[in-house]
Amino acid sequence: MTLNTQREGKETLRRRASTPIPSSHQQGPREGEPPSDPRHPPLGQSASYHPGDKSIHSRAHWSSDSEESESSASECLYRVVLLGDHAVGKSSLANIFAGIQEKDAHKHLGEDTYERTLTVDGEETTLIVMDTWETEKQEDDEKWVQDYCMQVGNAYVIVYSITDRSSFESASELRIQLRRIRQAENIPIILVGNKSDLVRCREVAVEEGRACAVVFDCKFIETSASLHHNVHELFEGVVRQIRLRRDSKETNERRRSFYRRKESFTKKARRFLDRLVAKNNKKMALKVRSKSCHDLAVL
């Protein structure tokens, strides 16, 4: 996996900082009516990209050691909303996504929306990561902003700290809220246990995170923003989860074969044995499902 920040003409990284809430939502969205913002297009549409536009290919690219695909010309833009309690590491994850070094983070205070093009499995997809969920910064009469966040995402990353059990419980509540608000939509949701490097301070076990993901039917991964552990894998996994829900079975199978060619022999053998055992044992099937909840390349 490589992070390529070289761009033609040394163009600066496109970043959407502190994207203002549209005036049509200043009084909050109407009940039962999802917010509409021309700058934030619906799933699968882009407000800034048009077929044949060469400029988009000069942005920073986050590559997963994949070759270029003919479908890159039909690139789409999707919004990924970060949810979670204060101080669980949402901004750190967003900064890594945006390519902001820790020593330069103070220069970007107030920026909360970032756009980047990722090359995953040979195809390009542009993500807008929104770090706009912060309850402590909002007054009671501005709580509608959180409702807005709950409705505009094409994918959601719910973050908790493994060193703070209350943040884990809040993450479970957020998953319930999403299920209630977006229950008719098949949107990707990934539960993220951040700060995995703080082993001695751990309050939430890995098994608890996986079990929660199985119960709430979402994906799970542990990350360490300070060590950049699994952060690239997280956002590439978001792209894969969006594609699995958006595209045809044949297209996804082609991508899956591309992805599996890079897997180790041991991982392939384990996957085969798990599938074989699960086919003949319902109890083992649930266990296998629990094990697969952290595989962001499958539904």
Side-chain angles (χ1 to χ4, degrees), residues 14-20 108-115 132:
R14 180 170 183 175
R15 180 176 300 113
R16 302 188 178 190
S18 302
T19 304
H108 302 274
L109 291 176
E111 299 180 1
D112 51 26
T113 307
Y114 307 92
E115 179 179 331
T132 54

Side-chain angles (χ1 to χ4, degrees), residues 27-268:
Q27 300 302 323
R30 297 176 182 174
E31 185 176 357
E33 179 181 340
S36 175
D37 184 352
R39 287 165 299 181
H40 294 299
L43 179 64
Q45 298 182 15
S46 170
S48 58
Y49 174 75
H50 304 281
D53 183 2
K54 303 294 184 181
S55 63
I56 195 167
H57 300 291
S58 64
R59 299 176 189 168
H61 282 62
W62 193 346
S63 173
S64 60
D65 297 324
S66 306
E67 51 195 30
E68 292 295 326
S69 170
E70 295 179 358
S71 62
S72 62
S74 59
E75 176 189 32
C76 291
L77 181 150
Y78 299 95
R79 293 181 301 279
V80 181
V81 181
L82 300 178
L83 306 179
D85 279 358
H86 179 67
V88 295
K90 300 188 300 299
S91 296
S92 296
L93 294 173
N95 285 341
I96 295 173
F97 168 84
I100 299 174
Q101 300 296 323
E102 186 176 355
K103 59 184 176 63
D104 299 324
H106 67 280
K107 300 178 183 178
H108 302 274
L109 291 176
E111 299 180 1
D112 51 26
T113 307
Y114 307 92
E115 179 179 331
R116 197 153 199 188
T117 298
L118 312 187
T119 302
V120 181
D121 299 336
E123 300 175 36
E124 289 185 348
T125 299
T126 299
L127 295 183
I128 294 178
V129 171
M130 300 173 60
D131 181 23
T132 54
W133 180 275
E134 195 57 87
T135 56
E136 291 189 4
K137 294 181 180 180
Q138 299 173 9
E139 300 295 335
D140 291 339
D141 60 348
E142 294 178 340
K143 292 300 183 182
W144 63 268
V145 175
Q146 292 190 349
D147 294 332
Y148 179 77
C149 291
M150 284 283 190
Q151 298 197 41
V152 298
N154 303 135
Y156 288 87
V157 174
I158 305 178
V159 187
Y160 69 90
S161 169
I162 68 160
T163 66
D164 183 359
R165 177 162 291 278
S166 65
S167 70
F168 176 65
E169 294 170 352
S170 295
S172 299
E173 290 296 324
L174 287 171
R175 179 64 186 94
I176 293 173
Q177 290 183 43
L178 274 174
R179 174 181 291 174
R180 182 174 63 250
I181 296 173
R182 309 287 295 274
Q183 60 182 346
E185 303 172 59
N186 187 21
I187 55 175
I189 299 173
I190 301 178
L191 181 67
V192 177
N194 192 35
K195 305 186 182 181
S196 62
D197 55 302
L198 303 179
V199 180
R200 295 185 178 181
C201 302
R202 179 184 285 273
E203 294 184 1
V204 183
V206 178
E207 292 75 15
E208 291 181 273
R210 288 183 179 177
C212 182
V214 170
V215 169
F216 291 113
D217 191 24
C218 60
K219 290 296 180 177
F220 170 75
I221 190 172
E222 282 200 350
T223 62
S224 169
S226 62
L227 300 180
H228 288 213
H229 175 64
N230 274 347
V231 179
H232 293 191
E233 289 79 359
L234 166 63
F235 288 106
E236 288 183 354
V238 169
V239 172
R240 291 188 176 106
Q241 289 296 306
I242 290 174
R243 290 173 177 172
L244 284 168
R245 291 161 172 80
R246 177 196 68 181
D247 297 331
S248 67
K249 183 178 180 180
E250 292 75 16
T251 301
N252 284 317
E253 187 58 39
R254 174 178 56 79
R255 291 194 186 109
R256 192 174 295 114
S257 63
F258 181 96
Y259 173 75
R260 288 178 177 174
R261 283 201 299 269
K262 300 185 293 182
E263 286 185 341
S264 66
F265 176 78
T266 302
K267 190 170 182 179
K268 290 179 180 178

